[in-house]
Amino acid sequence: MARIPSKRKARGMKTNKAGRELLDAVREAHRAVATGDFSGITVREVEIPSPNEYGPAKVKALRKRLGVSHRVFAELLGISRELAAQWEYGTRKPARLACRLLDKINEDPDGYLSSLIKRRKSA
């Protein structure tokens, strides 16, 4: 197995702790690839599901489920009333990022509302 030479030591230069840890990690990864032995390396893979698609009926159903007006719905999502209306009428579709937010709201609508809406205290 070939060894990754350390040019810094040859020049008499020092590395800090983070640099040494990084170099050690690179050397370990190189060793694993060269030998095929990945037992000393943690390999992480995650699967991120795609967000649901939201057509006009699903957008309207979510707004109704929240029990809010078009204006409040747009405010809750941080979008314009026009964009919210376009989603409900089907002239535009929510972007993937917006769909992720809509998915989160669908998981717990009451929790989402309570995290954003501050109720006025009566005097």
Side-chain angles (χ1 to χ4, degrees):
M1 170 178 70
R3 187 168 184 274
I4 299 175
S6 175
K7 291 182 181 179
R8 289 190 173 266
K9 288 184 181 178
R11 292 187 207 151
M13 300 175 87
K14 295 182 180 180
T15 59
N16 62 17
K17 182 180 177 188
R20 286 188 301 273
E21 288 175 356
L22 183 59
L23 286 171
D24 288 344
V26 169
R27 286 186 185 107
E28 180 61 24
H30 179 264
R31 184 203 59 76
V33 170
T35 64
D37 177 14
F38 292 91
S39 61
I41 295 192
T42 302
V43 178
R44 291 185 176 91
E45 290 185 35
V46 295
E47 186 175 322
I48 300 172
S50 294
N52 289 313
E53 290 190 17
Y54 284 83
K58 282 181 85 172
V59 172
K60 186 174 184 174
L62 177 58
R63 182 179 61 77
K64 297 258 186 204
R65 190 170 168 205
L66 290 168
V68 296
S69 67
H70 289 95
R71 184 184 62 77
V72 173
F73 185 65
E75 282 289 320
L76 289 170
L77 296 174
I79 60 174
S80 69
R81 286 191 329 204
E82 292 80 14
L83 181 58
Q86 289 171 349
W87 289 355
E88 273 199 35
Y89 300 131
T91 54
R92 289 185 65 180
K93 289 173 49 175
R96 288 175 51 93
L97 180 60
C99 290
R100 287 206 188 278
L101 176 59
L102 296 173
D103 283 345
K104 284 304 201 187
I105 296 169
N106 254 328
E107 286 176 14
D108 184 12
D110 293 332
Y112 184 75
L113 280 176
S114 66
S115 73
L116 294 178
I117 295 178
K118 296 181 180 178
R119 306 226 182 254
R120 294 183 184 166
K121 294 181 181 177
S122 41

